[in-house]
């Protein structure tokens, strides 16, 4: 725009100066022979069109085009501008678009500044703050180098941005003299708040959060405490113990009377610079610690393998015990079944014997009744015969009568059927059952009759 304006201004000035010398018609002069000779030709119509007034307008237009960049400017997206007017007034342009300049001096600032640890061969065109890997030392004295990427946003309010622009004068000055040193200091101090063993055991995210919080709100004021613990380990199958002294550290953040963490401010939060992003790309631990980790990993793998073997052996032992208990239970059930069968058989036999006993008792009672009937009959006949003898029978008749009586008694006794099974009882006083008494009486009578 300025170049075009300069061209237009020059063109207007030239035409303003040259226009009086331009001929509006042809000029002739008579020579010695009396002939008319053209000494000047009429100028081109377009040159004659540039009158003094038009030339001044052209010059004005060119001058305006030259001044446009000093009166207005284009605010690009992603930038904010520090403006100083000729009278010394300071202002800031925070949005994009066409803005009035008024011959002010403008300093552009990127809204976002990238500060990053750059490796060899990495593209650095879009990075404002390049850093080398940051050395740190963890609380357990393990050293490491940290690679991280951060992004900062300039203050969003005009007052803070103007103060920052006046203080640091340029973006590179801000990145090199404030952002990079502060990031390195915060990362280095954060290392003292963690143990390397804890970092690899799951505190990596806490490490990143601690860096981000300290960049935003200021560094923590911490207190470190060291503990020495004696660990006693017994050796299996030996009456010996190993005593090992382990050192552990504890970092506590100091708090004020209101219970809030005590912060140590730095230039980032004092200048209201916004921490937009913090990414810990990598933490490279020292080689000695890596070797120790590998040894611990191998030892842990061996221990896990042995524990797995022990678990497998215990599972096998438990399986054998369970199978034995199962077999014992099965055998117990079998034996109980046999016992139940034997008990059922015995109970059956007992019931059969009880039934037989009742049947025998019934049969015995029946025979006893029959024997009692026979006895009554025999007694009646004996009584009849006694009456006949007393009535005057001769000795011969008496002998024949007694013989017939004996024969009749013998026949009657022969008819008696005794049960095949007899249950003898000696519990009653006097001894013997009625049947026994009947048999005994008959035998006594026969013996008595035979002796007479």
């Amino acid at each position: 725009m300025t170049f075009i304006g300069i061209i237009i201004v020059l063109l207007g000035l030239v035409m303003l100066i040259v226009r009086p010398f331009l001929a509006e018609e042809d000029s002739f002069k008579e020579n010695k022979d009396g002939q008319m000779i053209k000494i000047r030709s009429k100028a081109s119509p377009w040159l004659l069109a540039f009158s003094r007034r038009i030339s001044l307008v052209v010059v004005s237009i060119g001058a305006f085009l030259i001044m446009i960049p000093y009166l207005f400017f284009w605010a690009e997206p992603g930038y904010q501008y520090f403006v100083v007017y000729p009278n010394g007034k300071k202002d800031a342009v925070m949005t994009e678009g066409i803005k009035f300049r008024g011959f002010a001096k403008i300093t552009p600032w990127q809204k976002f500044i990238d500060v990053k640890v750059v490796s060899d061969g990495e593209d650095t065109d879009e990075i404002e703050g390049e850093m080398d890997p940051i050395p740190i030392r963890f609380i357990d004295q393990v050293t490491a180098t940290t690679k991280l990427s951060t992004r900062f946003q300039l203050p969003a309010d005009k007052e803070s941005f103007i103060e920052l622009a006046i203080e640091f004068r340029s973006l590179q000055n801000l990145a090199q003299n404030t952002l990079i040193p502060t990031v390195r200091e915060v990362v280095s101090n954060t290392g003292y708040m963690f143990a390397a063993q804890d970092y690899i055991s799951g505190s990596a995210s806490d490490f990143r959060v601690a860096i981000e919080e300290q960049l935003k709100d200021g560094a923590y004021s911490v207190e470190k405490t060291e503990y020495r613990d004696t660990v006693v380990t017994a050796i299996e199958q030996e009456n010996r113990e190993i005593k090992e002294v382990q050192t552990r550290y504890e970092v506590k953040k100091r708090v004020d009377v209101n219970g809030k963490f005590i912060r140590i401010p730095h230039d980032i939060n004092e200048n209201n610079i916004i921490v937009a992003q913090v990414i810990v790309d990598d933490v490279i631990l020292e080689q000695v610690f890596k070797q120790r980790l590998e040894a611990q990993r191998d030892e842990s793998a061996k221990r896990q393998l042995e524990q797995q073997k022990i678990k497998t052996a215990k599972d096998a032992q438990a399986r054998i015990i369970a199978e034995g208990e199962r077999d014992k239970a099965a055998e117990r059930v079998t034996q109980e079944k046999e016992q139940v069968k034997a008990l059922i058989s015995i109970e059956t036999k007992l019931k059969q014997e009880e039934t037989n006993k009742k049947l025998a008792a019934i049969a015995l009672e029946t025979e006893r009744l029959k024997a009692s009937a026979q006895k009554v009959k025999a007694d009646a006949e004996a009584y009849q015969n006694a009456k006949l003898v007393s009535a005057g029978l001769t000795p011969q008749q008496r002998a024949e009568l007694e013989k017939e009586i004996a024969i009749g008694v013998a026949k009657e006794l022969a008819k008696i059927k005794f049960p095949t099974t007899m249950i003898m009882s000696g519990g009653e006083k006097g001894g013997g059952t009625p049947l026994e008494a009947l048999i005994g009486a008959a035998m006594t009578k026969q013996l008595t009759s035979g002796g007479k």
Side-chain angles (χ1 to χ4, degrees):
M1 185 67 69
T2 301
F3 178 75
I4 296 174
I6 293 173
I7 296 298
I8 294 175
V9 168
L10 291 176
L11 178 62
L13 291 175
V14 169
M15 296 307 300
L16 185 63
I17 296 172
V18 174
R19 179 66 180 79
F21 300 97
L22 296 177
E24 297 182 357
E25 59 183 13
D26 297 334
S27 298
F28 297 92
K29 183 178 181 181
E30 184 177 356
N31 58 11
K32 295 179 179 182
D33 297 334
Q35 297 177 351
M36 299 299 294
I37 301 171
K38 183 186 293 185
I39 60 175
R40 187 172 63 175
S41 299
K42 183 179 179 180
S44 176
W46 70 271
L47 290 176
L48 295 174
F50 283 92
S51 63
R52 179 181 177 84
R53 181 179 178 183
I54 294 176
S55 297
L56 290 175
V57 171
V58 170
V59 171
S60 300
I61 292 172
F64 178 75
L65 292 177
I66 292 173
M67 288 188 298
I68 282 178
Y70 298 95
L71 295 176
F72 303 94
F73 74 100
W74 170 256
E76 296 183 6
Y79 285 83
Q80 53 195 44
Y81 300 86
F82 175 58
V83 181
V84 180
Y85 293 99
N87 60 359
K89 181 181 177 181
K90 302 175 182 63
D91 195 5
V93 176
M94 312 299 288
T95 58
E96 59 272 6
I98 298 176
K99 305 296 180 181
F100 179 73
R101 178 174 180 176
F103 297 99
K105 182 181 179 180
I106 298 175
T107 305
W109 290 73
Q110 289 181 213
K111 288 187 176 182
F112 293 91
I113 305 173
D114 293 325
V115 177
K116 182 179 180 181
V117 174
V118 180
S119 303
D120 295 337
E122 188 175 351
D123 185 16
T124 60
D125 293 341
E126 300 296 330
I127 299 175
E128 291 73 35
E130 303 175 17
M131 291 191 299
D132 295 328
I134 304 172
I136 62 173
R137 181 180 293 275
F138 288 103
I139 196 172
D140 51 2
Q141 307 305 317
V142 177
T143 60
T145 55
T146 305
K147 294 182 178 180
L148 80 161
S149 303
T150 57
R151 170 166 285 190
F152 299 94
Q153 182 180 353
L154 296 182
D157 60 296
K158 289 185 177 182
E159 291 76 10
S160 299
F161 172 64
I162 292 173
E163 292 179 2
L164 182 143
I166 294 173
E167 180 180 357
F168 294 99
R169 299 184 303 280
S170 68
L171 187 66
Q172 289 298 322
N173 190 15
L174 172 63
Q176 297 297 328
N177 296 334
T178 297
L179 298 182
I180 292 178
T182 304
V183 170
R184 295 179 69 89
E185 180 184 6
V186 168
V187 172
S188 179
N189 291 337
T190 304
Y192 290 107
M193 299 172 58
F194 293 85
Q197 190 69 39
D198 295 336
Y199 176 82
I200 64 173
S201 299
S203 298
S205 60
D206 297 335
F207 182 78
R208 184 197 64 78
V209 170
I211 293 176
E212 183 175 0
E213 288 181 350
Q214 292 182 96
L215 287 175
K216 288 181 178 179
D217 304 320
Y220 292 115
S221 176
V222 298
E223 179 181 359
K224 184 178 73 172
T225 306
E226 179 179 340
Y227 299 95
R228 294 183 179 272
D229 301 329
T230 302
V231 180
V232 179
T233 305
I235 301 177
E236 295 183 359
Q237 299 178 353
E238 296 185 15
N239 296 323
R240 293 191 299 129
E241 294 179 344
I242 296 178
K243 292 184 178 180
E244 180 183 0
V245 178
Q246 294 182 351
T247 303
R248 60 184 178 90
Y249 302 90
E250 183 178 351
V251 177
K252 293 182 178 179
K253 302 172 185 176
R254 293 190 178 98
V255 296
D256 56 16
V257 294
N258 297 322
K260 296 182 179 180
F261 294 125
I262 299 176
R263 300 277 190 169
I264 302 174
H266 47 65
D267 290 340
I268 292 177
N269 49 58
E270 285 183 348
N271 287 284
N272 296 324
I273 298 174
I274 302 170
V275 180
Q277 176 180 293
V278 175
I279 298 175
V280 179
D281 299 322
D282 192 11
V283 175
I284 304 173
L285 300 169
E286 62 181 4
Q287 190 63 30
V288 176
F289 185 73
K290 288 182 179 180
Q291 294 174 356
R292 188 168 65 187
L293 288 179
E294 291 176 356
Q296 290 179 355
R297 179 196 61 194
D298 297 339
E299 189 65 27
S300 177
K302 291 180 182 178
R303 188 181 301 110
Q304 290 179 358
L305 182 60
E306 293 298 326
Q307 291 177 351
Q308 187 64 33
K309 289 181 179 179
I310 293 173
K311 185 177 182 301
T312 303
K314 288 183 177 180
D315 292 342
Q317 180 182 7
R319 179 178 57 81
I320 294 172
I321 294 174
E323 290 178 352
E325 292 295 331
R326 180 197 63 190
D327 297 339
K328 286 167 60 177
E331 184 64 24
R332 185 180 297 108
V333 170
T334 304
Q335 294 293 335
E336 289 178 354
K337 287 181 178 180
E338 295 295 332
Q339 292 177 2
V340 170
K341 290 180 179 179
L343 289 174
I344 292 173
S345 177
I346 293 172
E347 289 178 356
T348 303
K349 291 182 179 180
L350 289 175
K351 290 181 178 179
Q352 290 177 351
E353 293 295 334
E354 184 69 22
T355 303
N356 292 335
K357 180 178 179 182
K358 292 180 179 180
L359 291 174
I362 294 171
L364 179 61
E365 184 65 21
T366 301
E367 295 300 330
R368 186 180 66 76
L369 293 174
K370 290 180 179 180
S372 298
Q374 293 292 337
K375 180 178 179 299
V376 171
K377 182 178 179 181
D379 289 342
E381 291 179 352
Y383 178 76
Q384 182 179 3
N385 291 332
K387 289 295 183 179
L388 291 175
V389 171
S390 61
L393 294 177
T394 62
Q396 184 178 358
Q397 290 177 340
R398 188 182 297 121
E400 289 178 357
L401 181 60
E402 289 177 353
K403 180 179 179 181
E404 290 177 358
I405 292 171
I407 292 171
V409 171
K411 288 181 179 180
E412 293 299 328
L413 290 173
K415 293 179 182 179
I416 298 174
K417 294 181 181 180
F418 296 97
T420 59
T421 302
M422 296 183 64
I423 298 175
M424 307 299 294
S425 176
E428 296 181 358
K429 294 181 180 181
T433 62
L435 181 58
E436 291 175 352
L438 180 59
I439 295 172
M443 292 177 67
T444 303
K445 186 175 181 180
Q446 289 178 0
L447 291 174
T448 304
S449 299
K452 288 183 179 180

